[in-house]
Amino acid sequence: VEERLASEALALARRDLTGAQDRAVIQANILARQQDLRRRRVVTDSTVERATLDSSSAEQAVLAREQALADASSREARAAVARDRARLALEDARRALAETEVRAPFAGMLAETTAVLGRQVNAGEKLGVLIDPAEFEAAAPVSNAEYARLLDDQGALPERSATVTLDLGAREAVFEARLARAGAGSAAAKTGRKLYARLDAAAAEALREGDFVTLRIAEPELDGVARLPATALTEDGRVLIVGRGDRRAERELTILRRMGNEVIVGDAPFG
């Protein structure tokens, strides 16, 4: 707006100067005629003096209009400088915004947000936690024995199908998962491992960080085993059997699994 007003003022000053110059020329011509008439004694000295004053006033008006034109030119130049400075300031602001704007490499869910509209953010300040639904995992500690049962013949932990169950009170929500990895350290009790099962993005809509869930992992199939009540064996796997001649005998079996009130044993002499 200032630049437009300065341009209009400059154009007006130029027109005023042209008008003043034209009037100065007319007054100079009038003075010359009056001086010629005085030499011929047609007019008096007072008439020539008035013409001289009018010519001088016209010249002063020209000087005033020239000063006004110079001021208008300076105003236009200042407006152009202000415009250029404003453009540079805008470019600096846009560059600063581009350099300070941080975009996450993925779309996710926000948690623990502290950002408030209009508040200045300090360098290194934590504004929240961004959770990637594609990387949602359920963690569960297992004992060394349980961990060993999940390893393959090469001692590696392969991917296995699993389910994650969330207890909602009146109902349970069950989600498909895949056993992904074991933690780098030991479990919380310093024995065993912590296993992580990866969930799909649909589970992230129902689950939240910190939910307590039940992780069930499909183990390899067992052949040549028997299922017995847990009370039929001692803690170290000894069991009484009825052998030949209806005689009781004690056998020590290999306990492969404990499942609630039942155990899965190997080396059993019965099916």
Side-chain angles (χ1 to χ4, degrees):
V1 176
E2 174 61 21
E3 188 175 11
R4 178 176 59 81
L5 294 176
S7 298
E8 293 175 354
L10 179 61
L12 180 60
R14 285 171 176 164
R15 289 196 297 270
D16 288 344
L17 177 59
T18 301
Q21 289 172 339
D22 291 341
R23 287 191 297 273
V25 171
I26 293 173
Q27 292 298 329
N29 292 334
I30 292 175
L31 176 60
R33 287 196 301 271
Q34 294 296 333
Q35 290 173 342
D36 181 62
L37 292 173
R38 185 181 63 177
R39 284 192 297 270
R40 288 184 290 169
R41 299 184 183 278
V42 176
V43 297
T44 62
D45 291 341
S46 61
T47 303
V48 175
E49 289 174 356
R50 284 196 300 272
T52 302
L53 290 174
D54 291 340
S55 178
S56 178
S57 297
E59 290 177 356
Q60 291 295 326
V62 170
L63 293 176
R65 296 299 183 273
E66 288 177 346
Q67 182 61 46
L69 178 62
D71 292 341
S73 298
S74 298
R75 180 182 178 184
E76 185 183 46
R78 290 194 300 270
V81 171
R83 177 202 61 202
D84 293 340
R85 288 178 177 175
R87 182 181 296 112
L88 291 175
L90 178 60
E91 292 176 357
D92 289 342
R94 286 173 174 170
R95 182 167 54 253
L97 177 61
E99 292 174 352
T100 56
E101 184 181 40
V102 179
R103 290 185 176 273
F106 58 87
M109 299 180 295
L110 280 173
E112 303 177 18
T113 55
T114 60
V116 178
L117 183 63
R119 181 173 63 84
Q120 185 174 0
V121 178
N122 298 320
E125 181 179 356
K126 179 180 178 181
L127 299 178
V129 176
L130 184 63
I131 302 173
D132 187 358
E135 300 294 331
F136 225 55
E137 292 181 329
V142 296
S143 65
N144 285 333
E146 292 170 332
Y147 177 70
R149 294 201 301 261
L150 297 173
L151 302 179
D152 57 19
D153 295 338
Q154 287 73 38
L157 182 67
E159 282 197 5
R160 298 187 185 278
S161 60
T163 59
V164 173
T165 303
L166 175 64
D167 188 359
L168 299 175
R171 54 166 294 187
E172 290 184 342
V174 182
F175 307 98
E176 297 295 326
R178 296 289 299 177
L179 179 61
R181 60 189 177 88
S186 58
K190 304 303 181 183
T191 59
R193 296 289 185 272
K194 180 176 285 189
L195 301 181
Y196 295 86
R198 180 163 297 174
L199 295 147
D200 57 20
E205 297 295 329
L207 296 175
R208 292 294 180 267
E209 183 182 6
D211 282 344
F212 286 95
V213 296
T214 300
L215 176 61
R216 294 183 175 88
I217 303 171
E219 297 183 12
E221 292 185 0
L222 298 175
D223 297 324
V225 297
R227 185 169 62 184
L228 299 176
T231 55
L233 291 85
T234 62
E235 286 296 324
D236 56 0
R238 288 178 291 114
V239 63
L240 293 176
I241 64 173
V242 178
R244 293 181 180 179
D246 294 333
R247 292 181 177 272
R248 289 186 301 175
E250 184 179 277
R251 291 285 300 272
E252 184 173 347
L253 305 178
T254 302
I255 300 177
L256 302 175
R257 304 285 189 278
R258 293 186 181 273
M259 301 169 47
N261 296 326
E262 296 180 326
V263 293
I264 304 297
V265 297
D267 305 327
F270 37 79

